[in-house]
Amino acid sequence: DGGITQSPKYLFRKEGQNVTLSCEQNLNHDAMYWYRQDPGQGLRLIYYSQIVNDFQKGDIAEGYSVSREKKESFPLTVTSAQKNPTAFYLCASSIGAGGYGYTFGSGTRLTVV
Amino acid sequence: GENVEQHPSTLSVQEGDSAVIKCTYSDSASNYFPWYKQELGKGPQLIIDIRSNVGEKKDQRIAVTLNKTAKHFSLHITETQPEDSAVYFCAASSLYNQGGKLIFGQGTELSVKP
């Protein structure tokens, strides 16, 4: 079955550590996205990529980094520069322009300990 | 930039009643309006969508209406059931928006009481 897989489901980070969240899709989608979800704030866009080897900052990119070396994969690194990283992170993919066919992963809950 | 406002933030209804969630958007070039349902600990799932050349769309107990002039669209759920309890997000996008990004509303937590 085609889909989008995020791992791990739960992740704990110590202060000052970088952590990487995995996102893999087998939908043959060109575009991929990372959103952060906090209670009462909806979904805020961190980074997005329309094509391999290219990505753009979203609304809250500071303290995060991404790569898009393969069409199927769009990992997100939460760096030590992100001062408040505890949140639910959602990865999504879509066919491309227009927002059609957006499919979300099941999310990764990151907690700073 | 594009902004989507969603109301109410929480909504509680009795089983069998109807629920209505409303959204407004700022970019007049927006032409695609999906609605997502998110259950606890899961990613959002598309439940219905509408494009700007259509005023209303129905799928069993759910319907979406769009008023392009007023730049608002609404989700209607009839005969609500406890399994409808979830967080609902509206979103908007424009074909002219780089990357096909969806701009999401803040979400509505719907609670259906048996």
Side-chain angles (χ1 to χ4, degrees), chain B residues 18-72:
Chain B
S18 295
V20 180
I21 303 170
K22 299 182 179 182
C23 290
T24 59
Y25 59 97
S26 60
D27 185 356
S28 56
S30 294
N31 58 358
Y32 176 64
F33 308 92
W35 285 88
Y36 286 83
K37 176 183 180 182
Q38 185 179 27
E39 297 177 342
L40 196 62
K42 298 183 179 180
Q45 301 259 328
L46 178 69
I47 55 171
I48 195 167
D49 58 10
I50 192 168
R51 302 191 185 192
S52 58
N53 58 344
V54 175
E56 183 174 358
K57 184 176 178 181
K58 283 189 74 172
D59 183 3
Q60 299 183 336
R61 296 187 297 108
I62 59 173
V64 57
T65 58
L66 171 65
N67 183 326
K68 287 175 59 180
T69 303
K71 290 193 284 187
H72 67 70

Side-chain angles (χ1 to χ4, degrees), chain A residues 9 31 33 35 37 40-43 45 48 50 88 90 94 96-107 109, chain B residues 31-32 34 36 38 41-46 51 87 89 93-95 97-107:
Chain A
K9 191 169 179 64
Y33 313 83
Y35 287 89
Q37 186 173 24
Q41 295 198 45
L43 303 172
L45 183 64
Y48 67 100
Q50 295 175 259
F88 191 53
L90 286 161
S94 72
Y100 309 129
Y102 241 72
T103 301
F104 282 90
S106 54
R109 184 164 298 281
Chain B
N31 58 358
Y32 176 64
Y36 286 83
Q38 185 179 27
K42 298 183 179 180
Q45 301 259 328
L46 178 69
R51 302 191 185 192
V87 178
F89 290 97
S93 73
S94 165
L95 269 176
N97 187 351
Q98 286 187 346
K101 292 180 296 181
L102 283 175
I103 307 299
F104 288 88
Q106 294 86 350

Side-chain angles (χ1 to χ4, degrees), chain A residues 32-109:
Chain A
M32 297 187 74
Y33 313 83
W34 274 105
Y35 287 89
R36 171 178 171 144
Q37 186 173 24
D38 296 283
Q41 295 198 45
L43 303 172
R44 294 186 290 168
L45 183 64
I46 304 172
Y47 268 98
Y48 67 100
S49 168
Q50 295 175 259
I51 197 168
V52 175
N53 292 322
D54 188 45
F55 49 82
Q56 286 79 40
K57 292 181 180 180
D59 301 316
I60 55 164
E62 185 175 352
Y64 301 97
S65 66
V66 294
S67 63
R68 187 85 187 274
E69 298 176 359
K70 298 187 298 181
K71 186 175 185 178
E72 302 81 17
S73 180
F74 192 41
L76 173 74
T77 296
V78 184
T79 75
S80 56
Q82 171 49 239
K83 297 306 179 190
N84 184 22
T86 295
F88 191 53
Y89 291 87
L90 286 161
C91 180
S93 68
S94 72
I95 297 166
Y100 309 129
Y102 241 72
T103 301
F104 282 90
S106 54
T108 292
R109 184 164 298 281

